[in-house]
Structures are given as structure tokens and as C-alpha cells.
Amino acid sequence: MTLQYALELIGTFVFAISGALAVREKEHDMFGAGFTGFITAIGGGTLRDILLDSYPLVWIGDIHFLYAILTGILAAFIFPNLLSRLRKTFFLFDTLGIGFFTVLGVEKALSLGVRPEIAAIMGMFTAVMGGVIRDTLTNEIPILFRKEIYASACLAGAVIYLVLDHLETDRNYNLLISMSVIISIRLIAMKYKLSLPTLD
Amino acid sequence: MTLQYALELIGTFVFAISGALAVREKEHDMFGAGFTGFITAIGGGTLRDILLDSYPLVWIGDIHFLYAILTGILAAFIFPNLLSRLRKTFFLFDTLGIGFFTVLGVEKALSLGVRPEIAAIMGMFTAVMGGVIRDTLTNEIPILFRKEIYASACLAGAVIYLVLDHLETDRNYNLLISMSVIISIRLIAMKYKLSLPTLD
Amino acid sequence: MTLQYALELIGTFVFAISGALAVREKEHDMFGAGFTGFITAIGGGTLRDILLDSYPLVWIGDIHFLYAILTGILAAFIFPNLLSRLRKTFFLFDTLGIGFFTVLGVEKALSLGVRPEIAAIMGMFTAVMGGVIRDTLTNEIPILFRKEIYASACLAGAVIYLVLDHLETDRNYNLLISMSVIISIRLIAMKYKLSLPTLD
């Protein structure tokens, strides 16, 4: 539990950094960069909890998440060049983050009593909707719609979690396996530049 | 009631198809198309229910809606060319759909105890906000803001429903009349290329 | 209390006008302009109340807000040229409005029991998110991300309100001081074309 909580805070911190850095080549000022980092970090979980009527929202009920975000934004302000050079490392952290938050999102949805099909969608939303909102606000077509095997990796991992959960797999094994699926799909797709077909 | 429920599922199915096909000429992959179909189908009702604090959301409380959406997305994946050639038929179905969902949205809002003015807005939101969210995510200026007499037709139909309801018209007649108003306005506007003036 | 209520209605009216006029040079028809005015006027408070689970939403629970908005939209329809020429006056009103709504948003959030850090964010959201949603729907990069010292002024004023509140300053003095801070920062930044640095 304490490990999970620490990982949630670290994941939020990482998402805030990547959100703030995402607008570097845009015309955003520092406030805009911070705002974008904030939205990226809270967006997915917030949308999930609003859809499921689960209040208070995580970052409103527990102030540590706000501090994790502010620390991430501050890091992006102080070390923008260093952090941008670490793009590959960051991509790895980001991938770990989406794997982790997908599975947590599934678990939270299940704990609120929804059906597994809905929980799978909520898991994916948790991981990817922060980025979708970020891209929409910065006037981009959200990246998940076009380039990467990204949200579909989350959905696949969520389904695997649910199947293993249905088979009463031990939770720790299940977390490990379904997160690994998400992370592997994304890393492999990135390495070999795999993408889904378009609708033609 | 059973007829109404069947129509709701069919309408959701149609909206999912048109949402998935809407991104055909964009750079969206299949996942992006499916996601867009999903958002288009649930967007309006979801926004209405969040604004009115009505939980669980329809598609979360009743899994049949999700299956209607997935079937629509699958149809768009399997028969994209066929369905795109049926554009005119689809426009008709879409128009029937917005007429139907407008009136249902008004009724749901009234049943939750809001004033008729608010119910009219909620009826229009139910029918059109899925498309607005879709257009925003795909980086378009929402079509309802610029080209078609579309949302204003919904608003007109919603007002007529409320007036007839106030006059204690039989519900079935009222549904028929107010839906016909929406459908007729949109079809006539489309046929004669009518549009509202701009603000100059 | 009555003065505050009157100011809320006037502020809503002003936001609706500026929202409707914001799309004048776009391809929006009258309906699109009205819709944009509506969203601009309700967006910030609506987002705040959804995030805080505070229902009914202000404009749904009290119909006078809807009438204030409709009056504003109507004014924009009837006097578009006159109101556009009054741009400077409007900028002043808009600035007064964001100062006022920031502080009201902070107070409402505090009254719902959240921590001051969250209340500061909610105050800023109340004042600026209507404009962010408006810009996103009209396919612009939200202005607050790039040009003006605007949202950061709200955040500064919110923090000052909270500090003075913590020091048990009389509420009326506090309102006056923190609103003045927001208004002064924005007017000074505009006059001297000050802007925040970008992230480089």
C-alpha cells in the first residue's frame, strides 16, 4: 500500500513534467506550461472520477498530489534543457506511468461496482485522457488518435488484468503481468515503429 | 417503453458509426476512429447527466449501450466504404437521431426537476454535444457553430415540446410533433442550403 | 449580499457579451455566437462546481443567470458594432469581472471545505476556464496560455485573499484588496505589454 502510494505520487510528478515540457516549442509562457503540466497530471483520473461520481477527486482530497505536481512543474522550469535531453528516459518513465495508472484505474472502477467492460475503459481513460485534454487545449489532434500504439496498449492490459482477476490470480502477479503487457506493447511498437491501420 | 429503449440503442449505434466514419479522411488510426465513435455516441448524454448530477451515467449503468456502440464501431471498421456511400441515408438517420435524443433529453431533465428553460438546453445538449466534443478532439471548429441549422433546430423542437407539454398535450402526439419539427427544419435547411446569419 | 448577487448577474452578462463577440471574425453563425457566449459565461463556475461536486450548478439552480446570459447574447446580436467599438471599456469590465469571480470562487471552494491551496486553484478556474473552453471550442490555443498575464494575476489575487483571510482580515477589506491586486496586475501588464517568460 505504501509502495503503491509512493508510485502514484511519482507517476503524477512525471506526468506533470512531461506535460509542462510538451509545450516547449509552442508559444506558451511559463504559466501556460505549468497549467498544461497540471492538466496532464490530473486529467485522466479526474475524468474517470467524474464519470463514476467518485468524490472528492483524488487531488482535491489529498494535497500531496498537488505538491507532487508543483514539484514536477518546478523541475521543468529549472531544468528544461536537461529534462528535454532525457527524452528517452522520460519516454520510459511515461510508459511505466501509463501501465501503472491503467491498472490502478481498473481497480478503482471495479471497487466502485461497475462492470468489467466499463472498468477497462476507465483504466484506459485514467492513463491517457490527461494527454488527450493536453493535446486538445494546445490545439493538436490528440496523439493517441493517430500515431502511437498507446491507448490500445492500455486497453489490452486492462482486459488482461480483468481476465486474470476473473481467474482469481494473486493481485501482485496480476499487476505485474498486466502492466508488463502494456509496457511491452508500447516499447515494442515504438522500437519497430508499428502502428494500427487506418480506416480505409 | 420497449420501443423507446430499442430506439435509444439504435440511435446510439448510428451515432457511433457516424463518429467513427467522421475521421476517415484524417490521420486517425483504427483505435482513434473507434474512440471518436465512442465519444460521439456518449458525449451528449454524458455531459447532460454530469451537469444535472444524474448518476450512474446511462452507458455505465446499462451495458447494452456499450455493446450498441461497439457494434457500430465494428460495422464502421468492416464496411467503411459501403457505409460512406450511404451518406445520404446516414444523414437521414442522424437527423432522426438528433430529433429523438433532443426530446428524450428534455424529458429526462424535466424528470430531474429542473425548470423548462434549462430542460430545453439539456435537450439540445443531449443531441449535439457528442458531435461538438468529437469536432473539438479532431481539431475542427465544431460544425454546429458554423454551417448547419442543426442545434438551433433542436432548440426549436425542445421549446415546442415544452409548450405542448405545458398545454397538456398527450405525450405521444407531443413526441411526434416536436421530433417532426426538428427533423423538418434540418432537412429543409439542408435541401435549400439555408443558414443563419453571422454576427455583423 | 444583495450587492454581491447583483454583481454576479452583471458579471455573467458581461462575460456572455464578450463570449458572443469573440467569434465575430470567425465563420460562426448567430447560433454559434450565442452558444459561445453561453459557454464563456458559465464555463468557469460550472467546471469548479463539477470538480467540487457542488450541485445544483449555479445557473441550473437559479434561472436568473440564464436570463442574464440571454440578455448579454441579445445585446451582442443587436449592437455588435457599438459593443466592439467599446473594446477598451469592455476590457475594463472583463478585468473587473475576473477579479470578482476569482475571489468568489475562492470563497465558495473554502465554504465547501477544501484546503486553501485547492481553493486558490478553484478561484482561478472560476475566472478563466470559461475563456479556455471558449478558445478550445473555437479552435484557438487558449489565450491564457500564451499572451497575457491573466490567469497568473488571478492566482496571485487568490493567494493574497487566502493569506489575508488566514490573518483574519475583515472580509470586505479582503475582497477589496485581493480584487485590486488582480485588476492592477492585469491592467499594468496590459499597459506596459509585460508578459511572463517562456520555458527556454
Side-chain angles (χ1 to χ4, degrees), chain C residues 54-71:
Chain C
S54 167
Y55 288 95
L57 303 178
V58 175
W59 57 279
I60 289 180
D62 178 351
I63 201 73
H64 294 125
F65 285 91
L66 184 60
Y67 287 129
I69 292 169
L70 294 177
T71 312

Side-chain angles (χ1 to χ4, degrees), chain B residues 39-192:
Chain B
I39 297 281
T40 308
I42 65 152
T46 298
L47 181 65
R48 175 200 63 213
D49 289 346
I50 291 174
L51 293 174
L52 294 174
D53 197 26
S54 167
Y55 288 95
L57 302 179
V58 175
W59 57 279
I60 290 180
D62 178 350
I63 201 74
H64 294 123
F65 285 92
L66 185 59
Y67 288 129
I69 292 169
L70 294 178
T71 312
I73 292 170
L74 205 64
F77 283 1
I78 301 178
F79 311 111
N81 292 314
L82 175 67
L83 289 167
S84 291
R85 272 203 306 275
L86 295 174
R87 187 168 297 203
K88 281 194 178 170
T89 315
F90 245 82
F91 179 77
L92 188 64
F93 274 117
D94 193 63
T95 302
L96 294 174
I98 66 164
F100 180 63
F101 283 116
T102 299
V103 178
L104 287 196
V106 171
E107 288 192 331
K108 177 152 191 186
L110 284 181
S111 78
L112 291 165
V114 303
R115 285 182 59 123
E117 297 94 325
I118 300 295
I121 293 174
M122 291 300 152
M124 178 190 65
F125 273 19
T126 308
V128 307
M129 290 306 278
V132 169
I133 298 169
R134 177 197 64 210
D135 291 344
T136 304
L137 287 179
T138 56
N139 209 12
E140 303 262 0
I141 294 186
I143 198 168
L144 81 83
F145 288 170
R146 49 198 174 88
K147 263 203 222 135
E148 294 176 28
I149 294 194
Y150 171 35
S152 33
C154 297
L155 203 53
V159 170
I160 284 168
Y161 178 90
L162 289 161
V163 169
L164 292 178
D165 186 57
H166 185 74
L167 300 174
E168 294 179 16
T169 310
D170 174 78
R171 183 184 172 231
N172 287 326
Y173 283 114
N174 195 350
L175 285 176
L176 215 64
I177 295 170
S178 43
M179 280 179 60
S180 304
V181 167
I182 298 171
I183 294 164
S184 310
I185 293 179
R186 192 176 183 207
L187 293 181
I188 291 171
M190 182 56 77
K191 183 160 173 64
Y192 296 101

Side-chain angles (χ1 to χ4, degrees), chain A residues 11 23 31 45 54 64 92 95 99 108-109 112 115 123 126-127 156 169 181 200:
Chain A
V23 296
F31 182 87
S54 166
H64 294 125
L92 188 64
T95 302
K108 175 150 191 189
L112 292 166
R115 286 181 59 122
T126 308
T169 311
V181 168
D200 283 307

Side-chain angles (χ1 to χ4, degrees), chain C residues 181-199:
Chain C
V181 167
I182 298 171
I183 293 163
S184 310
I185 293 180
R186 191 176 184 208
L187 292 181
I188 291 170
M190 181 56 77
K191 184 161 173 62
Y192 296 101
K193 301 197 191 310
L194 304 179
S195 59
L196 291 175
T198 58
L199 207 68

Side-chain angles (χ1 to χ4, degrees), chain C residues 29-56:
Chain C
D29 63 19
M30 289 183 79
F31 182 86
F35 196 95
T36 310
F38 178 73
I39 297 282
T40 308
I42 64 152
T46 297
L47 181 65
R48 175 199 64 213
D49 288 345
I50 291 175
L51 293 174
L52 295 174
D53 197 25
S54 167
Y55 288 95

